[in-house]
Amino acid sequence: MYNVSLNNNEACGSLAYGKYNQNCPPENPNCNQVNFRSREDYYEKKDHTALKAVIGLAGVTALAIGGLGLAHKNNLISKIKNEKLKDFVSKAEPAAEKCYEWCGKVKKAGMQGIDWVKNIFKRKS
């Protein structure tokens, strides 16, 4: 890297990232040091794997609940032709019914929220 010095022909300060200049110790009175040090821990890349895993798990769960709710609504489980698969999936029918109820509650809450926001903007205009 480049050295910076306030005196002529002296290599005192260092622009090296986060390191001191080894050529000019601070106790040398003839050297005016200029060090451009940075906080390396501030610029380190953060690792968000746990957050990504939680968000991914929540997304997969929401998709599973929505899929089971739609399967119950459209009666898709009874339309399966393979008997072994139909028997296996029919055990999930009570869960699909509960998922359909939850989807209805989420839809109702979402519509109420949209109406609430619309009413806020109607009042201000």
Side-chain angles (χ1 to χ4, degrees):
M1 297 299 296
Y2 299 103
N3 290 326
V4 175
S5 173
L6 298 176
N7 299 330
N8 293 336
N9 298 325
E10 286 185 5
C12 293
S14 175
L15 292 175
Y17 180 74
K19 295 189 178 185
Y20 292 98
N21 188 351
Q22 302 298 325
N23 297 332
C24 185
E27 60 267 358
N28 186 354
N30 297 328
C31 182
N32 296 324
Q33 263 190 340
V34 178
N35 282 328
F36 295 94
R37 292 174 291 169
S38 66
R39 289 188 50 201
E40 293 180 14
D41 59 339
Y42 181 75
Y43 293 105
E44 287 180 3
K45 186 177 179 182
K46 305 280 187 222
D47 189 20
H48 299 292
T49 15
L51 179 65
K52 290 176 186 176
V54 168
I55 291 173
L57 183 63
V60 168
T61 304
L63 285 174
I65 290 172
L68 282 172
L70 284 174
H72 176 74
K73 178 184 176 184
N74 296 327
N75 203 13
L76 294 178
I77 296 175
S78 65
K79 295 178 183 177
I80 297 175
K81 298 194 191 267
N82 188 345
E83 290 300 320
K84 288 184 180 179
L85 182 62
K86 186 175 183 179
D87 290 339
F88 180 74
V89 176
S90 66
K91 294 176 184 175
E93 182 62 33
E97 184 177 348
K98 190 58 119 172
C99 291
Y100 181 68
E101 291 173 16
W102 289 350
C103 290
K105 289 178 183 178
V106 168
K107 182 180 176 183
K108 182 179 175 184
M111 296 303 289
Q112 288 174 348
I114 290 172
D115 291 339
W116 181 74
V117 170
K118 285 181 184 178
N119 289 336
I120 288 175
F121 287 112
K122 284 181 182 178
R123 283 187 236 150
K124 291 188 178 193
S125 341

